[in-house]
Amino acid sequence: LEEGGNAVDALLTAMPLQYVVEPQMSTPAGGFGVLYWEASSGKAVYLNANIDRASHAPVAADSLPFTHGLRIAVPGAVRGMQALAERYGTRDWGSYFEPAITVAEQGYPMYSFLYGEMAAAYDRINHHPSGRDAYAPDGFIPPVGATYRLPAFARALERLAQPDGPEWFQ
């Protein structure tokens, strides 16, 4: 907003930053919903960026086994961001990712809530080598107060920030 963007530009800049600093709460592989008041038309517009395959299944999702693939939502966050940017944004697509890339590269202090969430999910988040590299870079979850960096995620955000990033991501 301070650089001349509008409320949608601010939202689209905050989203990737949240992916970095609150990975337990948000992800580009997720979805979101936004209610936007379009002052020029006097209309409220709702964007649902949650693409749920199960809702399009021939049977209700709650009747499927917990491990059934139709219970898994298709990531809609990036395409939703793209739709918002194209319709209401005023800034360059790549600019939305710059603060998140910087924070992922430089790091931020591990905070107690994130540490607790990561500790509770330790076996899941460290199951694959890429998870161990991201979440336990020195063989353990960084302690509270230590600088936590996500360099691989910064590279992914850099790629996502390219003009064809949404196509690459999907």
Side-chain angles (χ1 to χ4, degrees):
L1 291 172
E2 290 176 352
E3 295 175 7
N6 62 27
V8 168
D9 295 321
L11 170 68
L12 293 172
T13 303
M15 289 176 70
L17 186 58
Q18 184 180 20
Y19 301 152
V20 173
V21 300
E22 290 188 333
Q24 80 283 10
M25 301 293 290
S26 60
T27 172
F32 69 92
V34 65
L35 182 61
Y36 178 73
W37 176 255
E38 187 176 45
S40 63
S41 69
K43 294 182 181 177
V45 177
Y46 180 73
L47 173 72
N48 179 358
N50 296 297
I51 305 169
D52 181 6
R53 289 191 345 207
S55 66
H56 302 292
V59 295
D62 58 3
S63 68
L64 296 171
F66 184 71
T67 56
H68 198 286
L70 288 177
R71 292 183 68 106
I72 299 171
V74 176
V78 173
R79 289 294 189 177
M81 289 176 67
Q82 181 184 36
L84 280 174
E86 289 174 355
R87 184 154 182 193
Y88 302 111
T90 65
R91 301 181 55 92
D92 176 68
W93 174 254
S95 72
Y96 299 131
F97 298 88
E98 291 170 3
I101 293 166
T102 298
V103 172
E105 289 173 339
Q106 295 177 359
Y108 58 92
M110 174 61 75
Y111 54 97
S112 60
F113 186 75
L114 177 56
Y115 181 88
E117 292 292 304
M118 290 172 70
Y122 188 83
D123 290 339
R124 286 184 318 227
I125 64 177
N126 289 290
H127 183 74
H128 296 285
S130 60
R132 287 189 294 277
D133 290 346
Y135 304 116
D138 295 319
F140 54 88
I141 298 169
V144 173
T147 300
Y148 180 49
R149 293 179 179 84
L150 294 162
F153 193 49
R155 302 296 76 79
L157 290 171
E158 286 173 346
R159 181 60 184 91
L160 189 54
Q162 298 302 309
D164 67 340
E167 290 77 22
W168 166 79
F169 187 76
Q170 302 298 321

